[in-house]
Amino acid sequence: GEALLADGAPAGEIASAAYGASLDGLTALALVRRDDGPVDQAWLDARDWTVDLAGTRVPVRASLKPFALPAAT
């Protein structure tokens, strides 16, 4: 998968990606590594995340929240 960068340094990779209609944009699942402790939301929020797409760095957001289906109306 594509490289996931935290503050410009390799931190993981994209395992799966797809268009999210309810988001009107791309959503992805990534595997993230941290050598000095657990991965938690505070650690994710303290970094600038990008994905390397064929040499172009694209800014992304990182979250521990699971994917969810939109509520039925």
Side-chain angles (χ1 to χ4, degrees):
E2 285 78 15
L4 180 63
L5 309 172
D7 298 328
E13 69 179 89
I14 303 297
S16 180
Y19 179 77
S22 64
L23 300 173
D24 192 28
L26 186 65
T27 186
L29 176 68
L31 304 173
V32 178
R33 295 179 300 273
R34 180 179 179 191
D35 295 330
D36 62 347
V39 173
D40 58 17
Q41 193 62 52
W43 183 79
L44 294 174
D45 291 343
R47 275 140 192 84
D48 290 318
W49 293 93
T50 55
V51 173
D52 184 334
L53 295 174
T56 299
R57 291 186 180 183
V58 178
V60 296
R61 290 180 294 163
S63 175
L64 293 177
K65 292 181 181 178
F67 295 124
L69 296 174
T73 57

